[in-house]
Amino acid sequence: MIYDPLKVAIELLKARVPDVPVSGDLVGHQTGSPRVAVSLLNISAVIRNRLDRIRLDVHAYGPAKNAALALAMRTRHALLNQSINWSYAGVAIADASNDFGPQDISDRTSREHRFVVSLDLYMYLRS
């Protein structure tokens, strides 16, 4: 199965959390402003050529600790509760699970408030 699972996750979050910039990096991010950055950690085949488990970290940045936590909880809710059967570019999400988090992990580089949520999304190609 060839597709971009990071793009699928980013487009889902853009649709479900439309008031916050979502991307795969922090390019153009201004310190202290809300931002969601999604990192792809691993892809493993659950059912060969049918279903992949996509492990992601979602980094929620905010101007204050409570704002970063609220954003982390919104993105967590979107991925766990609003993603099932959602599709983008022929790829659908069958299920989602929360691995851990949100964890309070301030960004060492920018010293910003950040919470990280690790999730698994189960994706398959729609036929």
Side-chain angles (χ1 to χ4, degrees):
M1 296 186 346
I2 299 175
Y3 60 94
D4 184 348
L6 186 59
K7 180 74 172 162
V8 173
I10 288 170
E11 291 302 321
L12 168 68
L13 286 173
K14 283 181 177 180
R16 299 294 191 245
V17 187
D19 57 323
V20 177
V22 179
S23 67
D25 55 39
L26 293 174
V27 173
H29 172 61
Q30 292 183 354
T31 301
S33 61
R35 177 72 170 236
V36 174
V38 184
S39 301
L40 176 64
L41 299 180
N42 190 39
I43 302 172
S44 57
V46 177
I47 301 171
R48 185 185 348 240
N49 295 324
R50 296 283 183 227
L51 183 69
D52 288 331
R53 183 180 76 187
I54 311 302
R55 178 152 295 168
L56 301 169
D57 272 355
V58 178
H59 306 257
Y61 290 83
K65 190 176 290 269
N66 62 342
L69 176 58
L71 181 55
M73 294 302 290
R74 283 179 61 203
T75 59
R76 178 182 177 272
H77 175 78
L79 291 169
L80 289 176
N81 301 308
Q82 298 177 334
S83 65
I84 310 310
N85 294 324
W86 187 85
S87 64
Y88 173 79
V91 178
I93 299 174
D95 201 4
S97 63
N98 195 168
D99 215 19
F100 67 86
Q103 288 189 319
D104 182 0
I105 304 174
S106 295
D107 191 298
R108 287 189 267 173
T109 305
S110 66
R111 314 293 263 173
E112 287 184 271
H113 300 286
R114 173 181 68 167
F115 280 82
V116 179
V117 180
S118 290
L119 300 120
D120 291 331
L121 296 180
Y122 294 84
M123 296 184 186
Y124 64 96
L125 289 175
R126 289 200 170 214
S127 41

